[in-house]
Amino acid sequence: MAESELAAELPRRWAHTRGVAERATEVQRLLGEAGDLLVAAATLHDVGYAPRLAVTGFHPLDGARFLRDEHGADERLVRLVANHSFALLEAEERGLRDELASEFPLLDDALLVDALVYCDMTTTPDGGRTSAQERIAEIISRYGADSVVGRFIRRAAPEILSSVQRIEAALAAQPR
């Protein structure tokens, strides 16, 4: 589904998505039964960027609505997509916080939420690996510090870095 929506029109976004999904397959063992949910969310997290789906222009909300309304997707999956990588903070910048929060409440599974943040924020726009610090800097550089996205990512940076640190610690503690 993500490939059909993104690959042709947004090949760079599709490359990022594939990279995020690859990270998810690497960390899914941390999540037990929820591992497959992480991989699905990673694969679909940016589907809302697809031009035909861009209703509000806020990709987490547009993607979650698409998954819910057109595909009847699992509620947990939809909520992960809607709230990935601290989207609620960006929604606030866009005047959509109440809409996002009421329609798609945050998922109460800290490890799963952190894992998706880790996968997204350690993947470059081209699908390669990066550090969360480099990814945050790249986003600010690409969008501009005073843009909606720039303001959001600067506000979210401490939370993003904490999520990534928790997942890195969990991965380091896993037997090889």
Side-chain angles (χ1 to χ4, degrees):
M1 177 188 328
E3 181 177 15
S4 68
E5 295 295 340
L6 297 173
E9 293 193 58
L10 301 171
R12 192 172 191 216
R13 183 63 56 187
W14 176 235
H16 167 74
T17 297
R18 287 192 330 268
V20 174
E22 287 173 20
R23 299 298 93 65
T25 62
E26 295 165 8
V27 302
Q28 78 181 106
R29 70 183 185 276
L30 294 175
L31 301 167
E33 292 180 15
D36 289 341
L37 180 58
L38 172 65
V39 173
T43 303
L44 293 164
H45 80 286
D46 277 352
V47 72
Y49 276 115
R52 79 172 192 91
L53 306 180
V55 175
T56 68
F58 182 45
H59 78 278
L61 185 57
D62 291 337
R65 286 177 173 165
F66 164 73
L67 294 170
R68 179 194 63 200
D69 299 344
E70 290 191 32
H71 294 280
D74 175 83
E75 180 187 356
R76 293 178 71 208
L77 173 63
V78 172
R79 288 168 60 188
L80 277 168
V81 169
N83 289 289
H84 75 272
S85 300
F86 301 97
L88 204 53
L89 294 174
E90 185 175 346
E92 188 173 301
E93 291 284 335
R94 295 175 178 275
L96 295 168
R97 182 183 176 91
D98 292 341
E99 194 170 344
L100 181 65
S102 65
E103 201 168 331
F104 302 105
L106 291 171
L107 201 59
D108 187 25
D109 186 336
L111 185 62
L112 181 56
V113 170
D114 281 350
L116 185 55
V117 171
Y118 169 86
C119 296
D120 188 19
M121 298 308 295
T122 61
T123 304
T124 68
D126 297 311
R129 293 179 185 274
T130 191
S131 70
Q133 295 89 343
E134 290 172 345
R135 177 81 163 118
I136 290 165
E138 180 277 322
I139 291 168
I140 292 169
S141 174
R142 185 166 24 120
Y143 287 94
D146 293 325
S147 69
V148 168
V149 175
R151 289 190 307 272
F152 146 70
I153 203 71
R154 286 186 290 125
R155 285 180 59 207
E159 298 298 329
I160 290 167
L161 295 173
S162 292
S163 286
V164 169
Q165 184 178 36
R166 286 188 293 269
I167 294 301
E168 287 173 343
L171 288 168
Q174 287 284 304
R176 297 200 186 229

